[in-house]
Amino acid sequence: MEMAKSTIEKVSLLGDFRLHTTNDEDVAIRGKKNAALLASILLEPEKRINRGAAESLLWSQRSPHQAKASLRQSLSELREQLENFSNVELITNRHEISLALNTISLDIDEMVGVASSDSVADKIRFAEHCEGEFLKGLSIHDPA
């Protein structure tokens, strides 16, 4: 019997990078480069990134062959971690990586909305619930 999949409700990029589910679980992405890759895709307006750009961003000091292999490994690990969620799908082809998201909000989008609002009450409410610096603790030691 297959277990019911969880649903991601919100992704936090402020503070610790976390996926928040509708049943109040916080899920961390295992592996800093996996998390950085996922965050990079989420930050793109179309939720897609060029494979070559991902390789250059995260594995700039490796040979092209090693960078491709590292990206494939990272994608495999991410796919495994995301398969437990019903409303997100990692889609890959030879040229790009994208996410199909269904009803997932990003805290960073909320911040942009509040920043452009004239409501002081909205800004105060957001500041009180803001979880910290952008991608806190996600430090990748790569010159790129």
Side-chain angles (χ1 to χ4, degrees):
M1 183 172 153
E2 189 175 317
M3 285 183 53
K5 292 185 175 189
S6 296
T7 302
I8 298 171
E9 180 176 50
K10 182 177 178 180
V11 176
S12 291
L13 297 165
L14 298 171
D16 293 325
F17 181 49
R18 295 262 187 256
L19 310 176
H20 307 281
T21 67
T22 51
N23 54 351
D24 291 328
E25 290 179 294
D26 283 352
V27 179
I29 295 296
R30 293 182 310 272
K32 286 187 176 186
K33 293 214 177 179
N34 297 343
L37 178 59
L38 184 58
S40 297
I41 298 167
L42 287 167
L43 289 169
E44 289 296 322
E46 299 294 319
K47 307 299 183 242
R48 78 176 41 127
I49 188 170
N50 178 281
R51 287 178 83 103
E55 292 164 7
S56 296
L57 178 66
L58 296 170
W59 296 282
S60 69
Q61 293 186 313
R62 294 192 179 171
S63 72
H65 178 73
Q66 288 175 320
K68 284 181 191 328
S70 295
L71 178 60
R72 280 193 305 273
Q73 178 66 33
S74 184
L75 288 170
S76 175
E77 291 170 5
L78 262 179
R79 189 171 277 112
E80 182 181 310
Q81 292 177 65
L82 295 174
E83 74 182 0
N84 296 320
F85 304 106
S86 62
N87 61 333
V88 63
E89 181 183 5
L90 186 64
I91 303 166
T92 60
N93 64 34
R94 292 180 60 205
H95 304 288
E96 62 186 19
I97 306 154
S98 62
L99 282 171
L101 304 172
N102 191 5
T103 65
I104 295 174
S105 67
L106 302 176
D107 63 351
I108 202 83
D109 290 340
E110 182 182 350
M111 183 182 78
V112 170
V114 168
S116 63
S117 169
D118 291 332
S119 169
V120 174
D122 286 347
K123 292 179 185 198
I124 291 170
R125 190 170 28 261
F126 180 80
E128 287 173 348
H129 296 98
C130 184
E131 295 191 30
E133 67 186 69
F134 181 69
L135 295 174
K136 178 185 172 192
L138 188 61
S139 176
I140 305 292
H141 301 289
D142 192 298

